[in-house]
Amino acid sequence: MMIARRLWHKRALVNGGRWLFPYTSSAPSPAAVHSSHHSPFRVSSSDLVAFSTAASAWFCLADQRRIACNVNGRWFSSEAVAHVAAGVNGNGIVDVPLAQTGEGIAECELLKWFVQEGDQVDEFQPLCEVQSDKATIEITSRYQGKVSRLLYVPGDIVKVGEILLKMAVEESQVPKQICESLENTKSLDSELNTHNIGGVLSTPPVRSLAKQYDIDINEVCGTGKDGRVLRADVLKYAAQKGIIEVPSASLSASPEKALGGKETCAHASAESGWNYEDKTVTLRGFQRRMVTSMSMAAKVPHFHYVEDIKCNALVELKNSFQSNNTDSNVKHTFLPLLVKTLSVAMSKYPLMNSSFNEELLEVILKGSHNIGIAMATPYGLVVPIIKNVQSLSILEITKELSRLQQLALENKLKPEDISGGTITLSNIGAIGGKYGSPLLNLPEVAIIAIGRIQKVPRFADDGSVYPASVMTVNIGADHRVLDGATVARFCNEWKQFIENPELLMLRMR
């Protein structure tokens, strides 16, 4: 009796955080054992065995749910939880949740599915593509099986740990401990459908939308597969009840758009007869990250330093590179030359290539020149990083820049492509502007906006006028670390290499 009591208390102390696992089994829970008619000081051998079996199963399940792996740049989740379901030809149903794909990531937007319900899936086959505020990631399967149900549609926001889809797999793939402990378990899915949504199939965002308009989702006629209620069904029902006024075109809008507009009231102009709609746009992915980073940057004391730089020699050098180019896959532009000259100038002024730790009041001088290039894409502003510029040739910088630009346009940048920057270069001239006032990309202490190169008249020393190709640069600096004199001297150094690129030969190793 005393041994059983000590064993009981020892397990309770060690496993105290694991009792509320969201599944039940035929074995009694610790709470059930404690509340039974037996005295806690008189534990029968059968109760002790059942208790030990259940605790072991919960141990196994909790451990199985915690690991996310990255294989060849693709993520798969081992947080899958299986249960034996009747009517699936003896196969187990595995819940595949969204894995933790990076530090600090709490949710992702589902961009697209690579599979459909009923599809056969191989191990490590891509299941879907999601986008966090840091990168776009493919989620792959750790099982071979058949897709039973997709729980989200493209455009939905999925929190880490929520179930993405259900798969039917062979029981041999399901860990033995899980199968044994859940042998008589009732399907959680049917439980959720019955109690949480009254038997109606729908995704959490759709239920949230119905709740927003105070609509009983059980009254909505679903047009999706197996009667699933879709977003359009809720909007149509709301329009029929007079809750909102939504044109028919809005009801058929695809949820796969990167920025989905929410329904709002339409306003008609009495004079023109046209309908004008207000449209609410939800910020997703990189745009959410920009909100956070720019809000933080606005709290930092900035100052800006502006200078005009003559680029006649730079224009000639770029044209020479292009005219002698023998590689059709390489296109020479001004930007790689500006990136390389910037790196050479920073070698003399390392404070420009640093970061600031506000808590410790420390400045970290960065050894590598990891220069971020701000790019405007259909998916928002991104800043991919050209790493170790101090060790790269101009040709190598050109190829790396081209690779990053292509990935950015395809929304395929990886976390390592957009992390670790030490200074940022924003080429507003590529779009058409000649002057910009950039905000810092923290924790970096400097950011540079370069305008377009334009022909302007200039006066020579003898008073004659000549045409010059001039570019305006605006350096934004963290005034907690940098002062005006340091930035001015750095800019003069950089200007010297841009106006006389042949001086780069003296610094090449």
Side-chain angles (χ1 to χ4, degrees), residues 83-397:
H83 62 272
V84 178
V88 197
N89 299 324
N91 290 347
I93 296 296
V94 175
D95 293 344
V96 181
L98 175 63
Q100 177 61 263
T101 56
E103 184 179 355
I105 295 177
E107 61 185 19
C108 293
E109 177 188 358
L110 176 62
L111 296 182
K112 61 182 177 181
W113 286 107
F114 297 119
V115 296
Q116 299 296 327
E117 292 181 358
D119 287 356
Q120 199 69 28
V121 175
D122 293 327
E123 191 175 6
F124 300 114
Q125 178 178 334
L127 296 174
C128 63
E129 185 176 67
V130 299
Q131 183 182 53
S132 69
D133 59 355
K134 297 181 179 180
T136 301
I137 302 162
E138 280 187 1
I139 303 296
T140 62
S141 175
R142 66 163 299 188
Y143 292 107
Q144 181 179 6
K146 184 177 181 180
V147 177
S148 176
R149 193 198 312 175
L150 306 179
L151 299 181
Y152 289 89
V153 297
D156 286 348
I157 299 296
V158 186
K159 295 187 181 299
V160 171
E162 289 186 344
I163 306 302
L164 282 169
L165 74 158
K166 295 177 178 289
M167 286 181 58
V169 301
E170 294 292 336
E171 291 185 30
S172 59
Q173 298 185 68
V174 181
K176 182 179 179 182
Q177 296 92 333
I178 295 178
C179 291
E180 291 176 351
S181 66
L182 299 176
E183 187 175 2
N184 300 315
T185 299
K186 182 179 178 181
S187 169
L188 175 65
D189 180 59
S190 62
E191 243 180 68
L192 289 175
N193 286 340
T194 300
H195 300 293
N196 293 350
I197 54 176
V200 174
L201 295 177
S202 63
T203 60
V206 173
R207 298 197 295 274
S208 177
L209 181 63
K211 185 177 180 181
Q212 176 184 338
Y213 291 110
D214 197 22
I215 294 173
D216 184 356
I217 200 168
N218 296 290
E219 298 178 0
V220 180
C221 180
T223 60
K225 186 174 181 180
D226 298 326
R228 176 177 297 173
V229 176
L230 306 178
R231 179 175 181 272
D233 298 330
V234 175
L235 296 181
K236 183 177 179 180
Y237 181 86
Q240 291 172 348
K241 293 294 183 179
I243 300 174
I244 60 172
E245 296 179 18
V246 183
S248 59
S250 297
L251 295 178
S252 60
S254 170
E256 297 184 15
K257 294 182 179 179
L259 295 177
K262 292 184 178 179
E263 63 297 324
T264 50
C265 296
H267 305 284
S269 170
E271 297 179 0
S272 64
W274 290 93
N275 288 330
Y276 299 96
E277 297 179 20
D278 295 338
K279 189 175 184 179
T280 301
V281 176
T282 302
L283 299 182
R284 305 283 177 86
F286 298 128
Q287 293 182 317
R288 285 195 176 195
R289 185 183 186 187
M290 185 172 67
V291 171
T292 303
S293 59
M294 291 299 98
S295 298
M296 293 172 56
K299 300 176 183 178
V300 174
H302 283 63
F303 75 91
H304 290 85
Y305 181 86
V306 182
E307 178 65 290
D308 287 340
I309 300 178
K310 289 188 291 186
C311 299
N312 294 46
L314 199 68
V315 170
E316 292 181 7
L317 185 60
K318 191 271 291 185
N319 292 337
S320 176
F321 284 166
Q322 191 58 36
S323 61
N324 291 284
N325 183 23
T326 58
D327 189 346
S328 60
N329 296 321
V330 175
K331 181 181 179 181
H332 292 282
T333 63
F334 295 109
L335 195 53
L337 293 166
L338 294 172
V339 168
K340 187 61 181 180
T341 53
L342 175 63
S343 174
V344 174
M346 286 194 303
S347 297
K348 187 173 181 179
Y349 294 91
L351 202 60
M352 297 294 296
N353 191 60
S354 66
S355 64
F356 179 58
N357 188 321
E358 186 174 6
E359 293 182 0
L360 300 178
L361 295 180
E362 292 179 345
V363 177
I364 300 95
L365 302 179
K366 299 294 186 177
S368 297
H369 296 174
N370 298 338
I371 301 179
I373 308 298
M375 298 180 185
T377 74
Y379 311 96
L381 179 68
V382 295
V383 186
I385 313 297
I386 303 177
K387 304 287 181 68
N388 299 312
V389 173
Q390 76 281 358
S391 303
L392 300 180
S393 67
I394 294 174
L395 181 59
E396 289 171 331
I397 295 171

Side-chain angles (χ1 to χ4, degrees), residues 32-39:
V33 173
H34 187 78
S35 61
S36 67
H37 65 278
H38 295 289
S39 167

Side-chain angles (χ1 to χ4, degrees), residues 3 31 38 48 66 81 84 161 193 207 218 223 264 326 336 401 407 418 424 448 459 490 498:
I3 295 175
H38 295 289
L48 187 58
R66 294 183 178 275
V81 179
V84 178
N193 286 340
R207 298 197 295 274
N218 296 290
T223 60
T264 50
T326 58
L401 180 61
L407 290 175
I418 57 176
T424 297
I448 304 173
F459 285 95
F490 158 76
I498 294 176

Side-chain angles (χ1 to χ4, degrees), residues 4 32 78-79 82 131 161 190 213 222 293 313 316 327 363 386 389 391 405 410 453 455 461 465 473 486 494 508:
S78 68
E79 296 181 353
Q131 183 182 53
S190 62
Y213 291 110
S293 59
E316 292 181 7
D327 189 346
V363 177
I386 303 177
V389 173
S391 303
Q405 286 173 330
E410 296 174 355
I453 298 176
K455 278 281 184 70
D461 293 339
V465 179
V473 300
T486 301
W494 188 31
M508 294 294 184

Side-chain angles (χ1 to χ4, degrees), residues 68-71 73-77 99-102 137-140 415:
C69 301
N70 186 336
V71 180
R74 294 180 176 178
W75 290 83
F76 72 90
S77 171
Q100 177 61 263
T101 56
I137 302 162
E138 280 187 1
I139 303 296
T140 62

